[in-house]
Amino acid sequence: MNTIKRLIMGNEKFKKEYFPYFEKDLKESVQLGQRPEVLFIGCSDSRVTPELMLDTQPGDMFILRNVGNFVPPYKHDEDFHGSAAAIEFAVSVLNVKNIIICGHSHCGACKALYDDISDDSKMVHVRVWLELGQEAKQRTIKSQKFETLEEKYRATERNSIRNQLENLLTYPEVKKRFDNKEILIHGWYYDIETGNIDFYDKNEDNFKPLKEFTI
C-alpha cells in the first residue's frame, strides 16, 4: 500500500476510534490553553514513540524532538535555535513541572560521532549539530576500554544523557526553578529492542529500571 494512502487511512481510523475519547478535553484545552506538566526531550528517531512508550493522552506532554535528543547549552544572544526556544517556552510559559531527557539504544547520532563526515557537503548542518555530542564521546573514550563497538555506542548514548542534563541546567530559568524545587529533571534511556526504560540516578551515577524510580 502507498505510504501516504496508509497515513490517510490511519487518520480516518483515529477520528473514528480514538478522537471521540479525547474530544471534550481537546476542546477545553483550546479554550483554556494547553497545560502539560512534562517537557519530553527525545530523539527524532522514527522508532522512538513517546506517546506509545508512556501511554499518554493529548495534552500530557510538550514534546521536543531533534537528532540525538541534544540540548544546546544556553547562549545569551539572538541566534535562532528551535530547541532552545522550545525549552524556554515550556518552562517560562507552560510552567512544566518535569523535564525528561530521553535517549535510546541504537542512536544514529551517537554512532555518527565516531564517523568522519567532515568532507560530506550534504551533511553540513548535521556536522555542526553533532558537536553537541562530542563531550559525551570524549567522556566515553576516557572512561574504559570496550570489547565491541556496540558496547561503546551504548555507553556513549548514556553519557550523552548525562551531558544533556548538564547542558539543561545552563538555562537560567531552568536552574532557578530546579534549585527552588519547582521543577524536576529526569534522564531516561529507552531500549528499542525491549521497550524497557532506565532512569539516571545521579547519586549513584548509573542507570536503573524506571519501575524503581521514587520521588
Side-chain angles (χ1 to χ4, degrees):
M1 181 185 296
N2 177 275
T3 300
I4 300 302
K5 179 65 175 178
R6 181 167 55 84
L7 295 179
I8 293 171
M9 293 176 63
N11 177 247
E12 291 301 316
K13 180 179 179 180
F14 167 74
K15 289 189 294 183
K16 292 178 181 178
E17 299 184 18
Y18 301 109
F19 184 78
Y21 292 102
F22 310 122
E23 185 173 6
K24 180 180 177 181
D25 290 338
L26 286 171
K27 287 183 177 179
E28 182 178 296
S29 72
V30 170
Q31 295 176 339
L32 302 177
Q34 60 174 320
R35 290 174 290 180
E37 293 199 1
V38 174
L39 165 60
F40 183 97
I41 302 176
C43 185
S44 299
D45 192 300
S46 61
R47 300 163 296 180
V48 177
T49 54
E51 293 90 347
L52 289 176
M53 290 157 44
L54 302 172
D55 192 26
T56 60
Q57 297 185 5
D60 286 348
M61 298 191 298
F62 187 75
I63 298 178
L64 163 63
R65 300 181 68 168
N66 60 43
V67 174
N69 49 269
F70 291 161
V71 174
Y74 177 83
K75 290 175 61 180
H76 187 64
D77 57 28
E78 296 182 357
D79 284 351
F80 180 79
H81 209 304
S83 294
I87 293 169
E88 289 183 351
F89 183 79
V91 173
S92 298
V93 178
L94 299 179
N95 295 306
V96 296
K97 305 303 180 185
N98 296 271
I99 301 177
I100 299 169
I101 298 178
C102 186
H104 67 95
S105 64
H106 304 282
C107 178
C110 288
K111 182 176 182 294
L113 294 172
Y114 297 93
D115 298 332
D116 183 8
I117 60 172
S118 58
D119 295 327
D120 192 338
S121 61
K122 300 186 295 295
M123 304 283 277
V124 175
H125 295 94
V126 172
R127 182 172 67 247
V128 174
W129 181 252
L130 288 178
E131 288 299 316
L132 295 172
Q134 289 300 322
E135 188 170 333
K137 173 184 175 180
Q138 296 306 317
R139 182 181 292 188
T140 302
I141 292 173
K142 292 177 182 178
S143 64
Q144 67 182 87
K145 300 287 186 180
F146 300 97
E147 294 184 3
T148 67
L149 284 175
E150 291 301 318
E151 287 182 0
K152 183 166 68 173
Y153 296 152
R154 299 296 85 78
T156 304
E157 291 156 0
R158 290 177 171 83
N159 280 331
S160 179
I161 294 171
R162 292 179 171 94
N163 189 44
Q164 308 317 318
L165 289 169
E166 293 171 359
N167 287 348
L168 187 59
L169 288 174
T170 65
Y171 289 75
E173 191 62 23
V174 174
K175 182 68 163 59
K176 183 183 78 173
R177 297 190 186 208
F178 177 75
D179 290 343
N180 292 336
K181 302 186 185 307
E182 298 172 351
I183 197 168
L184 297 176
I185 296 175
H186 315 267
W188 288 3
Y189 181 81
Y190 172 63
D191 189 327
I192 289 177
E193 295 175 295
T194 65
N196 293 327
I197 296 178
D198 293 335
F199 76 96
Y200 176 59
D201 185 333
K202 185 176 181 180
N203 292 329
E204 298 186 16
D205 190 28
N206 64 11
F207 286 81
K208 301 178 179 179
L210 186 60
K211 62 183 179 182
E212 297 179 9
F213 177 79
T214 58
I215 297 177

